Amino acid sequence: MPATTDWSEKSRDLSRLLARAGLGDRAAFATLYDRTSSHLFAVVLRINRDRGQAEDVLQEVYVNVWRAARTFDAAQSQPLTWLTSIARNRAIDSLRRAATQPQVQINHTLDEEDSDVYDTMADPASGPLEMLSRASEARELTHCMDGLSAQQRQSVALAFYDGLTHAEVASHLGQPLGTVKSWVRRALATLKGCLEQARQRDERDIEGVR
């Protein structure tokens, strides 16, 4: 498949396991689970922070994967991106069922090389990801995301909703790592300012009705 020629060996291996699982190979499916479940569980936990619920969601994810493995199309996405999308969607669905909004885990795991992106944030508790989790209305987040460039929105979505490292985001987008880091850094700064303004407006509105 031409689409896989520039993939890593890990991606090609996962693609082969998906293909075999799609044919009903349970051993291949078990291997796929062993190699991807930790990553997908982390993705789910960033959205649904209830560990018990996250474990249930992970089971649902792999039931979906087993049923849909034969539909995986290497021309459309890499296997881990496809798997992550399933996990993210199931996690969001679990929150909808509970009548809540998705929350983003602030302690996003970064590669060593990515740690410099947050060096300028002295207080993690006031960082943009924490503000994302505090945003009272999904419309506020949507409004703030609309203020980002297309590249920034895609980078942030891949990094903090799909659970990719910055290096993986760079590979996925076909962009230099430094460029992706810059996009994410600027996007987070913009989101921080926008969400802070929304929080202040909400506080003023609350004071106004007291």
Side-chain angles (χ1 to χ4, degrees), residues 160-173:
F160 299 111
Y161 285 103
D162 288 353
L164 303 186
T165 65
H166 290 144
E168 290 171 334
V169 173
S171 175
H172 181 86
L173 298 179

Side-chain angles (χ1 to χ4, degrees), residues 13-194:
D13 188 42
L14 292 179
S15 183
R16 288 190 290 267
L17 290 172
L18 275 170
R20 287 164 54 192
L23 295 174
D25 187 332
R26 292 180 178 272
F29 181 71
T31 301
L32 181 72
Y33 178 89
D34 289 341
R35 295 183 183 178
T36 61
S37 57
S38 294
H39 172 81
L40 297 189
F41 188 55
V43 170
V44 172
L45 271 176
R46 288 189 195 104
I47 299 172
N48 188 332
R49 292 155 73 173
D50 183 301
R51 192 174 186 87
Q53 292 181 20
E55 290 172 352
D56 291 339
V57 170
L58 188 67
Q59 292 184 18
E60 295 177 11
V61 168
Y62 280 97
V63 169
N64 278 21
V65 171
W66 173 254
R67 292 172 177 170
R70 65 181 179 276
T71 70
F72 170 68
D73 185 355
Q76 298 297 319
S77 66
Q78 294 199 27
L80 193 58
T81 301
W82 184 77
L83 291 167
T84 297
S85 178
I86 293 175
R88 181 170 58 87
N89 290 338
R90 296 302 299 180
I92 292 172
D93 285 345
S94 74
L95 290 178
R96 287 173 178 160
R97 290 196 298 266
T100 62
Q101 295 295 335
Q103 299 181 34
V104 181
Q105 185 78 326
I106 186 170
N107 58 337
H108 176 65
T109 301
L110 299 173
D111 286 344
E112 251 180 48
E113 62 183 2
D114 292 334
S115 60
D116 64 302
V117 174
Y118 301 103
D119 286 347
T120 58
M121 297 179 184
D123 181 7
S126 64
L129 297 186
E130 180 64 14
M131 291 182 181
L132 284 176
S133 69
R134 292 177 183 174
S136 60
E137 297 289 342
R139 59 183 172 78
E140 294 293 354
L141 176 55
T142 300
H143 170 74
C144 291
M145 289 290 285
D146 285 344
L148 303 178
S149 70
Q151 296 95 333
Q152 289 173 333
R153 282 197 302 271
Q154 190 170 16
S155 297
V156 168
L158 288 170
F160 299 111
Y161 285 103
D162 288 353
L164 303 186
T165 65
H166 290 144
E168 290 171 334
V169 173
S171 175
H172 181 86
L173 298 179
Q175 296 289 339
L177 179 58
T179 298
V180 168
K181 284 185 177 182
S182 177
W183 286 346
V184 172
R185 182 185 296 111
R186 292 174 182 174
L188 293 179
T190 300
L191 286 175
K192 179 178 179 179
C194 181

